[in-house]
Amino acid sequence: MKIRNSLKSAKLRDKNCRIVRRKGRVFVINKTNPRFKARQG
C-alpha cells in the first residue's frame, strides 16, 4: 500500500479503483488488481 498526499492520480491509474473513506482516512481500493491500493493521511 502506498501512502500519498493526493489520491487523484492513484485513482486514475486503473479503471477499477474506488475511493473509500474509513475511520477518517481516504483509501483507494481495487478488487481486481490489489497492487493499486493507496491511503491518504
Side-chain angles (χ1 to χ4, degrees), residues 3-19:
I3 299 175
R4 320 184 61 136
N5 291 328
S6 170
L7 291 183
K8 190 165 187 180
S9 58
K11 176 180 173 278
L12 296 173
R13 284 170 70 194
D14 194 58
K15 67 179 189 303
N16 294 309
C17 286
R18 307 250 179 267
I19 289 196

Side-chain angles (χ1 to χ4, degrees), residues 4 23 25 36 41:
R4 320 184 61 136
K23 298 179 184 171
R25 290 180 172 168
F36 289 119

Side-chain angles (χ1 to χ4, degrees), residues 2 6 8-9 21 28 37-38:
K2 292 217 168 50
S6 170
K8 190 165 187 180
S9 58
R21 291 202 66 169
V28 169
K37 286 198 295 191

